[in-house]
Structure formats: structure tokens, C-alpha cells
Amino acid sequence: MRDLYLGRVLQWALGGLACSALLVVACGDDEATVKAVNDVDAGAEVLDSGSAEPLADAGDASDAADAFVPCGPGDEVKTTVGDGGATLSLCGATLEVPEGALEAGSPVGIAVVAAPAAPWFDHELSGPVFRFTPDDIALELPAKIGLTRDTTKARGPVLARWLPVEKEWGEHEGCLKDDVLSLETIGLGTFGLMQDVNTYPPAASGLGTATVSLDLGGVATSWTVPGNGGYAVYEPGVDGRSFMLVARRTEGDDLEALDIRGVIQNNQPSGIVQVSWLTTAPDAKSWSWVEPIHGPATSFTMTETSPGTYTGELHVVGHYGDETTEMGATFTMTPGKFRPPPSYSCGHPEGDPR
């Protein structure tokens, strides 16, 4: 799970740089690759949807957006690919197979199946689990699957796929449109929507408390969080949590911000992945250090001095183009629990090399 948390906090870090960390919490990437998120042994594989038989009316893909419809294992629709492909819908799920993806006459189907394993940490299934078939071959062209989200839920879901070899759920970044979370893929399989069971504040601004001191190239300064929209937050996980500390202040008409992001892991040393000093002053420089780009931190320590309160010290080399400077900081923070809303993308289909 360590790689998962590092991946999440790197998404926070790199996304924040790309989207101006002065103004936003996090931005999603545009990857369509699946990310494993737990390690549950599901035992038996998902139910076999049986041999495919043509249906007189497989439904219309637009039916999926009408409402969230509960279904149970055993419900299924099947048809065969015609000259124009095939379209199916069942209980809020859709499958669109374009012409040329499979040979004419090939069976396709959607079946509601029992969940092959429990949802990952702090999540629940939001609706049925669907098996889209054929799921044992690669299609010649991407097919489009869609799952209708439950609009009674306050927080958007994520698209989860069962990985039979790894025996665990993985997460896809789908495309959300008209309450349908969709994915274009050359590999069909078993999918469901995962819903975070927690209730989170709508934004990070103002959450948590902290005191921070920064030494930037020998010049010392300090902040109290929250201030000018600063925050100290953590995102919970199975084996630890990722944290983000943002201290802000105004100097005249200019805004200055210190952004520190890292991970707190159970029974392992804490880690840091980003430190940024950002300013809007026209003659000043903004400095940043990001671990995968600039190499390891010079030093970093953090301890939990009381339940929920952490004290840390860091030293990194900040970069501004080809220039560098020493950056050191000490902080004490009591972060608030927060998780950025799911990010959705409508990028290239999975398997598309472009």
C-alpha cells in the first residue's frame, strides 16, 4: 500500500504545481490506467454469465441515465454483434461495442454479479457490480462501458474494476457526463462504483491548525495556519495518511504561500514529496522541490507529539530554473481530515497508445 499513498500524494503534489498550488487543493491526472487499491483475496472468481443468446430488445444506452435502478445477481442481458456493432443496457449500466471491435455474430452481454471482494478501505459499493463480456479477449477497437451514479449520494463515486489475477479492486479515472461514469477500453471485465463512506468538508481552506517557520536562503519567516485561506489536512488510508500543509499570507498586494506535502505511514518513517515557496510579487522568485524530479530531501523528520498533532523539520534544495537555494522549515500541525473529490477525465481510451 506504500506505493498507493505515495502515488496519491504525488498526484496532489504534481497536480498542485500544474494547477497553481496557490489557488487549488489538487487536480487529477489524465491517466486511464488502472490503479490497484487493496489486497483482498476474493476466493472464487465472479459468476459466469453463461452462454450469450440474442435478445429481441437489448435496451437503449440512453436508458442508463434515466435513474439509479437497484438490481441483483442473476439479472443479465445478452445479444450478438451486428453490422453496426451492439448496444446493451441493464440496471443503469451500458455497453456500446462499435462496428469492427468484434466479428459480426460474436456474443456480448452485461450481467449483475456478486461482488468478488469487499470494497477497499472507507468505501462501499454504490450500486450493483456488473460483468461486461466478452472479458477474456482484447477487442480490436475500444468499447464504451457506463455506470450510472447514485445521485442521492453527496459525494461522487469512483470507477472500480476487479483485477482477477491480482484478486483485488483497482481504480480507473472515468469520464462523468449526465450522471454516467464511463470508460472506453479494449478489455471488458467486472466493474462497479465505489463510494467514500465519510462525510468531508467541501473545501480544505481553513481546516486544521499549524505554526510554521521557514528559512529560505538564510531569510527566516513564520506563519500561523489557517491564515489567508491556509490549511493543514490529511487524507486517510489503510496503512497511513497523506498530508498537506499550506501556509499563506498577504504582503501588500502580493500573496505568499508555503506548500508542504508528504505521507505518514503506520510503523514506517514518514516521508515528504514536495516543498514549494510561491509568491506573486513581480520581482521575487518562487522555489520548489519535488522528490521525483529533484531527488531525495536533504533531511526530514516528523513525530506525533500528541494524538493527532505532529512536529516536523525538513531541509531541501529549492529550484528556480537552473538556480537553487537552501530551504528549511519547522512546523507543528494538527491536520483536519479531508479528501479531495474524485477527479474525472475524458481522455484517450484505455489501450489507445496516443
Side-chain angles (χ1 to χ4, degrees), residues 69-83:
V69 182
C71 295
D75 294 338
E76 62 179 351
V77 291
K78 297 178 286 187
T79 190
T80 55
V81 175
D83 292 337

Side-chain angles (χ1 to χ4, degrees), residues 5-28 204 231-235 241-248 257-264 270-278 289-292 297 300 302 314 316 329 331 333 338 340:
Y5 297 110
L6 288 175
R8 169 66 83 173
V9 79
L10 283 174
Q11 180 178 345
W12 276 18
L14 298 175
L17 288 176
C19 304
S20 178
L22 287 171
L23 304 176
V24 298
V25 175
C27 295
Y231 47 86
V233 296
Y234 74 91
E235 179 178 4
R241 56 188 63 179
S242 54
F243 71 88
M244 180 159 50
L245 172 59
V246 175
R248 293 174 177 163
L258 176 65
D259 188 325
I260 303 171
R261 310 187 190 197
V263 291
I264 307 165
S270 299
I272 191 169
V273 296
Q274 175 190 328
V275 181
S276 297
W277 161 254
L278 305 170
W289 168 87
V290 182
E291 191 273 337
F300 175 69
M302 189 166 67
L314 65 89
V316 298
F331 59 88
M333 67 172 178
F338 180 74

Side-chain angles (χ1 to χ4, degrees), residues 9-176:
V9 79
L10 283 174
Q11 180 178 345
W12 276 18
L14 298 175
L17 288 176
C19 304
S20 178
L22 287 171
L23 304 176
V24 298
V25 175
C27 295
D29 55 22
D30 291 327
E31 296 177 358
T33 54
V34 66
K35 297 173 281 187
V37 293
N38 73 350
D39 191 18
V40 179
D41 188 344
E45 295 300 323
V46 296
L47 302 179
D48 188 348
S49 59
S51 59
E53 298 175 0
L55 293 184
D57 182 7
D60 187 283
S62 63
D63 295 343
D66 293 341
F68 174 78
V69 182
C71 295
D75 294 338
E76 62 179 351
V77 291
K78 297 178 286 187
T79 190
T80 55
V81 175
D83 292 337
T87 299
L88 292 170
S89 66
L90 174 69
C91 306
T94 60
L95 172 62
E96 301 174 28
V97 180
E99 182 179 1
L102 290 166
E103 292 184 4
S106 298
V108 294
I110 308 174
V112 180
V113 298
W120 60 75
F121 181 74
D122 268 3
H123 280 71
E124 63 184 6
L125 283 165
S126 180
V129 175
F130 297 95
R131 183 184 181 190
F132 298 86
T133 55
D135 55 2
D136 57 351
I137 60 172
L139 308 183
E140 295 295 328
L141 295 172
K144 183 178 182 179
I145 67 166
L147 280 75
T148 303
R149 73 181 185 95
D150 185 351
T151 56
T152 66
K153 303 289 186 179
R155 190 174 180 83
V158 295
L159 184 62
R161 177 176 188 158
W162 177 247
L163 307 174
V165 175
E166 296 84 351
K167 295 189 183 303
E168 62 185 20
W169 288 104
E171 179 184 342
H172 276 283
E173 187 177 7
C175 174
L176 181 65

